[in-house]
Amino acid sequence: MTLSLHRLLLAFATLIAAGFLAAGVRAQVTERPVTGFPHAVVYALPGDQPRPVVVILAGADGGDQGGRRFGPILAEMGYAAVSLPYYSPDWGQFGPPPQFPDLPGSFIDIRVDQIGDLRDALRGLDGVDVERFGLFGGSKGSEFALIAASRYDWIDAVVAYTPTDLVWEGWGLEMIEAEGTRSSFSFGGQALPFMPYRGFVDGLLAGPGVADLRAIHENGRADHPDREAAARIPVEAYPGALMLIAGERDAQWNSARQARNVVAARAAAGLPTEALIYPDAGHDLIGGDGDLREDPRSGGTPQANAEARLDAWPRVMAFLDRTLRPGST
């Protein structure tokens, strides 16, 4: 079965608009480090024209893979794209060595307020306009982004792929003996209230591809209804523009349910949210490619995931353009 002609043409038009196919030559993108942020990089086109900031926040895989993948793409589209590695998995003898040993190796008490410090560090850099500030996150990166947006009113736009409405329990080697005791995120030196999992350590010990991560999240939520109010991300405190992208068959967590909860909370406060929820898609939704990828961690079908990516990507780019560069199109 082939992807719909309409979506293929839409994706092709998006590539042309981004300049990827113009004369077969890609624009030259510069890369600059960010003082005080190890491994963070600003991707931008040459010149000192002030460009809106889009910070890329990776998910549970950590490192800078997401930044290296999307930084140049967003830069070519006219943004100062910032890759912000904030976590680099370290499972000791049970996994490969961490990409960045100087970053947190466990997903515990990750500092959300480093976004404020990052904005200060970017202020004054040539070609960077921190008065137009967006976040682009996926999975745990979307959790990070939504928490940050609920606390900083200067964030103008957030794109959250496969999002959550809650702060979740953290993980790492030290959690094997202390399941249910630590948060994924912190703010101002204080761990944020979180929703525990059920069976995370058992799933971890079962090995890759065995654990039902969606059930681990959903069962934890069912076990602790008394903790939901405290763990909920107060998305209604964020007055800016928000776009959510989710799949009903997400195998990592129930991002479709969680996205609907975010929409409802903001609607109750009179705030609009753009939500794209794809009924047959899973977790592998970021990007504008139509590759048919087999990934049991994602859920959904390769076909549905590819179609969702092709459908969502032009809408995401239009959303960023409209919210961070009004009047540019």
Side-chain angles (χ1 to χ4, degrees), residues 84-157:
L84 178 63
Y86 61 90
Y87 159 72
S88 188
D90 185 357
W91 292 101
Q93 62 180 317
F94 304 104
Q99 181 187 9
F100 300 127
D102 53 341
L103 292 182
S106 296
F107 211 117
I108 295 172
D109 295 346
I110 299 296
R111 287 187 54 234
V112 173
D113 44 324
Q114 66 186 284
I115 288 292
D117 297 338
L118 176 67
R119 185 175 185 244
D120 291 339
L122 293 171
R123 190 183 299 277
L125 287 184
D126 289 343
V128 177
D129 179 6
V130 298
E131 300 305 321
R132 294 178 290 169
F133 204 97
L135 303 178
F136 179 98
S139 194
K140 291 297 282 188
S142 74
E143 187 176 336
F144 190 149
L146 290 171
I147 297 168
S150 73
R151 284 160 171 79
Y152 292 120
D153 61 7
W154 41 259
I155 294 174
D156 301 296

Side-chain angles (χ1 to χ4, degrees), residues 224-306:
H224 301 282
D226 56 311
R227 298 182 66 158
E228 182 148 345
R232 193 180 68 82
I233 301 171
V235 290
E236 66 278 6
Y238 168 55
L242 176 60
M243 173 172 269
L244 311 174
I245 303 95
E248 292 280 7
R249 296 176 61 187
D250 190 332
Q252 297 286 303
W253 57 14
N254 193 341
S255 61
R257 168 190 175 175
Q258 295 171 164
R260 283 191 287 266
N261 287 347
V262 170
V263 171
R266 284 173 56 83
L271 296 168
T273 306
E274 299 183 45
L276 306 175
I277 300 178
Y278 297 94
D280 296 314
H283 201 76
D284 182 15
L285 302 183
I286 305 181
D289 66 274
D291 295 344
L292 300 177
R293 293 193 285 267
E294 292 282 354
D295 184 355
R297 300 181 308 165
S298 168
T301 66
Q303 177 82 16
N305 293 339

Side-chain angles (χ1 to χ4, degrees), residues 16 25 38 53 77 86 118 144 147 183 240 268 322:
I16 293 175
V25 178
V53 173
M77 300 188 74
Y86 61 90
L118 176 67
F144 190 149
I147 297 168
S183 179
R322 184 172 67 251

Side-chain angles (χ1 to χ4, degrees), residues 13 28 77 86 116 126 145 163 176-177 188 192 198 207 211 224 246 255 311:
Q28 182 181 3
M77 300 188 74
Y86 61 90
D126 289 343
I176 303 248
E177 300 290 335
L192 295 178
R198 185 211 295 174
H224 301 282
S255 61
D311 183 72

